[in-house]
Short mmCIF file of all heavy atoms in Angstrom, two decimals:
data_model
loop_
_atom_site.label_atom_id
_atom_site.label_comp_id
_atom_site.label_asym_id
_atom_site.label_seq_id
_atom_site.Cartn_x
_atom_site.Cartn_y
_atom_site.Cartn_z
N LEU A 293 45.60 -28.85 -33.60
CA LEU A 293 45.99 -30.26 -33.58
C LEU A 293 46.13 -30.76 -32.14
O LEU A 293 45.59 -31.78 -31.75
CB LEU A 293 47.31 -30.43 -34.35
CG LEU A 293 47.92 -31.82 -34.38
CD1 LEU A 293 47.03 -32.78 -35.14
CD2 LEU A 293 49.32 -31.78 -35.02
N SER A 294 46.84 -29.97 -31.34
CA SER A 294 47.09 -30.40 -29.97
C SER A 294 45.80 -30.46 -29.16
O SER A 294 45.63 -31.33 -28.31
CB SER A 294 48.11 -29.48 -29.29
OG SER A 294 47.50 -28.30 -28.86
N ALA A 295 44.85 -29.55 -29.43
CA ALA A 295 43.59 -29.55 -28.68
C ALA A 295 42.85 -30.87 -28.89
O ALA A 295 42.32 -31.46 -27.94
CB ALA A 295 42.73 -28.37 -29.10
N GLY A 296 42.83 -31.36 -30.13
CA GLY A 296 42.15 -32.63 -30.41
C GLY A 296 42.88 -33.80 -29.76
O GLY A 296 42.25 -34.70 -29.19
N LEU A 297 44.21 -33.76 -29.82
CA LEU A 297 44.99 -34.87 -29.25
C LEU A 297 44.78 -34.95 -27.74
O LEU A 297 44.64 -36.03 -27.17
CB LEU A 297 46.48 -34.67 -29.57
CG LEU A 297 46.84 -34.62 -31.06
CD1 LEU A 297 48.34 -34.35 -31.25
CD2 LEU A 297 46.45 -35.91 -31.77
N LYS A 298 44.71 -33.77 -27.10
CA LYS A 298 44.55 -33.77 -25.64
C LYS A 298 43.18 -34.33 -25.24
O LYS A 298 43.06 -35.04 -24.25
CB LYS A 298 44.74 -32.35 -25.10
CG LYS A 298 46.23 -31.98 -25.04
CD LYS A 298 46.48 -30.76 -24.20
CE LYS A 298 46.24 -29.49 -24.96
NZ LYS A 298 46.76 -28.29 -24.33
N MET A 299 42.15 -34.02 -26.04
CA MET A 299 40.82 -34.57 -25.71
C MET A 299 40.81 -36.09 -25.86
O MET A 299 40.26 -36.81 -25.03
CB MET A 299 39.75 -33.95 -26.61
CG MET A 299 39.36 -32.56 -26.17
SD MET A 299 38.00 -31.88 -27.14
CE MET A 299 36.58 -32.29 -26.09
N LEU A 300 41.45 -36.56 -26.94
CA LEU A 300 41.52 -38.01 -27.15
C LEU A 300 42.14 -38.71 -25.95
O LEU A 300 41.67 -39.75 -25.50
CB LEU A 300 42.43 -38.31 -28.35
CG LEU A 300 41.86 -38.23 -29.75
CD1 LEU A 300 43.01 -38.34 -30.76
CD2 LEU A 300 40.85 -39.34 -30.01
N TYR A 301 43.21 -38.09 -25.45
CA TYR A 301 43.98 -38.69 -24.36
C TYR A 301 43.20 -38.61 -23.04
O TYR A 301 43.05 -39.59 -22.32
CB TYR A 301 45.32 -37.95 -24.26
CG TYR A 301 46.30 -38.59 -23.32
CD1 TYR A 301 46.88 -39.81 -23.61
CD2 TYR A 301 46.65 -37.95 -22.13
CE1 TYR A 301 47.79 -40.40 -22.74
CE2 TYR A 301 47.56 -38.53 -21.25
CZ TYR A 301 48.12 -39.75 -21.57
OH TYR A 301 49.02 -40.33 -20.71
N GLU A 302 42.66 -37.42 -22.80
CA GLU A 302 41.96 -37.23 -21.52
C GLU A 302 40.70 -38.10 -21.43
O GLU A 302 40.33 -38.56 -20.35
CB GLU A 302 41.59 -35.75 -21.36
CG GLU A 302 41.37 -35.39 -19.91
CD GLU A 302 41.07 -33.92 -19.70
OE1 GLU A 302 41.54 -33.07 -20.50
OE2 GLU A 302 40.33 -33.63 -18.73
N LEU A 303 40.07 -38.34 -22.58
CA LEU A 303 38.85 -39.15 -22.55
C LEU A 303 39.15 -40.64 -22.76
O LEU A 303 38.24 -41.45 -22.91
CB LEU A 303 37.85 -38.62 -23.59
CG LEU A 303 37.33 -37.21 -23.26
CD1 LEU A 303 36.54 -36.63 -24.42
CD2 LEU A 303 36.48 -37.22 -22.00
N GLY A 304 40.42 -40.98 -22.81
CA GLY A 304 40.84 -42.39 -22.80
C GLY A 304 40.73 -43.11 -24.14
O GLY A 304 40.82 -44.33 -24.20
N LEU A 305 40.59 -42.37 -25.24
CA LEU A 305 40.47 -43.06 -26.54
C LEU A 305 41.83 -43.49 -27.08
O LEU A 305 41.91 -44.37 -27.94
CB LEU A 305 39.76 -42.17 -27.58
CG LEU A 305 38.23 -42.15 -27.48
CD1 LEU A 305 37.77 -41.33 -26.29
CD2 LEU A 305 37.60 -41.61 -28.75
N VAL A 306 42.89 -42.84 -26.59
CA VAL A 306 44.25 -43.28 -26.94
C VAL A 306 45.06 -43.30 -25.64
O VAL A 306 44.69 -42.63 -24.67
CB VAL A 306 44.95 -42.33 -27.95
CG1 VAL A 306 44.21 -42.30 -29.28
CG2 VAL A 306 45.10 -40.93 -27.39
N ASN A 307 46.14 -44.07 -25.63
CA ASN A 307 46.88 -44.09 -24.36
C ASN A 307 48.29 -43.54 -24.46
O ASN A 307 49.09 -43.72 -23.54
CB ASN A 307 46.87 -45.49 -23.73
CG ASN A 307 47.24 -46.53 -24.75
OD1 ASN A 307 47.99 -46.21 -25.68
ND2 ASN A 307 46.70 -47.74 -24.61
N SER A 308 48.60 -42.85 -25.57
CA SER A 308 49.89 -42.14 -25.59
C SER A 308 49.74 -40.91 -26.47
O SER A 308 48.82 -40.84 -27.30
CB SER A 308 50.99 -43.04 -26.15
OG SER A 308 50.71 -43.30 -27.51
N LEU A 309 50.64 -39.96 -26.29
CA LEU A 309 50.60 -38.74 -27.09
C LEU A 309 51.83 -38.68 -28.00
O LEU A 309 52.90 -39.19 -27.64
CB LEU A 309 50.57 -37.50 -26.18
CG LEU A 309 49.22 -37.24 -25.50
CD1 LEU A 309 49.33 -36.14 -24.46
CD2 LEU A 309 48.14 -36.89 -26.53
N PRO A 310 51.68 -38.07 -29.18
CA PRO A 310 52.81 -38.00 -30.13
C PRO A 310 53.69 -36.78 -29.86
O PRO A 310 53.37 -35.94 -29.02
CB PRO A 310 52.08 -37.80 -31.45
CG PRO A 310 50.89 -36.97 -31.07
CD PRO A 310 50.48 -37.42 -29.69
N ARG A 311 54.76 -36.66 -30.62
CA ARG A 311 55.52 -35.41 -30.67
C ARG A 311 55.06 -34.63 -31.91
O ARG A 311 54.52 -35.21 -32.84
CB ARG A 311 57.03 -35.71 -30.73
CG ARG A 311 57.52 -36.38 -29.46
CD ARG A 311 59.01 -36.60 -29.49
NE ARG A 311 59.76 -35.34 -29.42
CZ ARG A 311 61.09 -35.23 -29.54
NH1 ARG A 311 61.81 -36.32 -29.74
NH2 ARG A 311 61.70 -34.07 -29.46
N ILE A 312 55.28 -33.32 -31.86
CA ILE A 312 54.83 -32.47 -32.97
C ILE A 312 56.01 -31.68 -33.51
O ILE A 312 56.79 -31.11 -32.73
CB ILE A 312 53.72 -31.50 -32.50
CG1 ILE A 312 52.46 -32.28 -32.06
CG2 ILE A 312 53.36 -30.51 -33.61
CD1 ILE A 312 51.31 -31.42 -31.58
N ALA A 313 56.13 -31.66 -34.84
CA ALA A 313 57.13 -30.80 -35.49
C ALA A 313 56.39 -29.76 -36.32
O ALA A 313 55.53 -30.11 -37.13
CB ALA A 313 58.03 -31.63 -36.39
N VAL A 314 56.69 -28.48 -36.09
CA VAL A 314 56.14 -27.42 -36.94
C VAL A 314 57.17 -27.13 -38.03
O VAL A 314 58.37 -27.02 -37.75
CB VAL A 314 55.87 -26.13 -36.12
CG1 VAL A 314 55.47 -24.98 -37.05
CG2 VAL A 314 54.75 -26.38 -35.11
N ALA A 315 56.67 -27.03 -39.27
CA ALA A 315 57.55 -26.79 -40.41
C ALA A 315 57.29 -25.39 -40.95
O ALA A 315 56.13 -25.03 -41.21
CB ALA A 315 57.28 -27.84 -41.49
N GLN A 316 58.34 -24.62 -41.11
CA GLN A 316 58.19 -23.26 -41.66
C GLN A 316 59.07 -23.09 -42.90
O GLN A 316 60.13 -23.71 -43.03
CB GLN A 316 58.61 -22.22 -40.62
CG GLN A 316 57.66 -22.18 -39.42
CD GLN A 316 57.62 -20.81 -38.77
OE1 GLN A 316 58.64 -20.33 -38.27
NE2 GLN A 316 56.44 -20.18 -38.78
N ALA A 317 58.61 -22.23 -43.80
CA ALA A 317 59.46 -21.85 -44.93
C ALA A 317 60.60 -20.98 -44.39
O ALA A 317 60.37 -20.15 -43.49
CB ALA A 317 58.65 -21.07 -45.96
N GLU A 318 61.80 -21.18 -44.94
CA GLU A 318 62.95 -20.38 -44.48
C GLU A 318 62.67 -18.88 -44.65
O GLU A 318 63.15 -18.06 -43.87
CB GLU A 318 64.16 -20.79 -45.31
CG GLU A 318 65.49 -20.53 -44.67
CD GLU A 318 66.62 -21.10 -45.53
OE1 GLU A 318 66.62 -22.33 -45.77
OE2 GLU A 318 67.46 -20.32 -45.98
N ALA A 319 61.86 -18.54 -45.64
CA ALA A 319 61.56 -17.13 -45.91
C ALA A 319 60.58 -16.53 -44.91
O ALA A 319 60.38 -15.31 -44.89
CB ALA A 319 60.99 -17.00 -47.32
N ALA A 320 59.95 -17.37 -44.11
CA ALA A 320 58.93 -16.89 -43.15
C ALA A 320 59.03 -17.75 -41.90
O ALA A 320 58.17 -18.55 -41.61
CB ALA A 320 57.54 -17.00 -43.78
N ASN A 321 60.15 -17.57 -41.16
CA ASN A 321 60.51 -18.55 -40.13
C ASN A 321 60.63 -18.00 -38.71
O ASN A 321 61.53 -18.41 -37.96
CB ASN A 321 61.84 -19.20 -40.53
CG ASN A 321 62.99 -18.17 -40.56
OD1 ASN A 321 62.75 -16.97 -40.42
ND2 ASN A 321 64.21 -18.65 -40.74
N PRO A 322 59.74 -17.11 -38.27
CA PRO A 322 59.95 -16.53 -36.94
C PRO A 322 59.92 -17.57 -35.81
O PRO A 322 60.66 -17.44 -34.82
CB PRO A 322 58.81 -15.52 -36.79
CG PRO A 322 57.77 -15.96 -37.75
CD PRO A 322 58.50 -16.58 -38.90
N LEU A 323 59.09 -18.60 -35.96
CA LEU A 323 59.02 -19.61 -34.89
C LEU A 323 60.30 -20.45 -34.89
O LEU A 323 60.81 -20.82 -33.82
CB LEU A 323 57.79 -20.50 -35.08
CG LEU A 323 57.51 -21.44 -33.90
CD1 LEU A 323 57.04 -20.67 -32.68
CD2 LEU A 323 56.48 -22.51 -34.25
N TYR A 324 60.80 -20.73 -36.08
CA TYR A 324 62.06 -21.50 -36.17
C TYR A 324 63.18 -20.73 -35.46
O TYR A 324 63.94 -21.29 -34.67
CB TYR A 324 62.41 -21.74 -37.64
CG TYR A 324 63.75 -22.39 -37.82
CD1 TYR A 324 63.92 -23.76 -37.62
CD2 TYR A 324 64.88 -21.63 -38.17
CE1 TYR A 324 65.16 -24.36 -37.75
CE2 TYR A 324 66.12 -22.23 -38.30
CZ TYR A 324 66.26 -23.60 -38.10
OH TYR A 324 67.49 -24.18 -38.22
N LEU A 325 63.25 -19.42 -35.74
CA LEU A 325 64.30 -18.61 -35.11
C LEU A 325 64.14 -18.61 -33.59
O LEU A 325 65.12 -18.76 -32.85
CB LEU A 325 64.27 -17.18 -35.66
CG LEU A 325 64.58 -17.03 -37.16
CD1 LEU A 325 64.42 -15.59 -37.61
CD2 LEU A 325 65.98 -17.56 -37.49
N ALA A 326 62.90 -18.50 -33.12
CA ALA A 326 62.67 -18.49 -31.67
C ALA A 326 63.03 -19.84 -31.05
O ALA A 326 63.50 -19.90 -29.91
CB ALA A 326 61.21 -18.14 -31.38
#
Side-chain angles (χ1 to χ4, degrees):
L293 177 66
S294 79
L297 300 177
K298 283 195 278 193
M299 282 185 96
L300 277 171
Y301 189 69
E302 202 177 331
L303 294 170
L305 279 74
V306 297
N307 49 29
S308 66
L309 285 171
R311 295 183 69 186
I312 296 180
V314 172
Q316 293 208 298
E318 204 174 300
N321 63 353
L323 189 70
Y324 174 79
L325 296 176

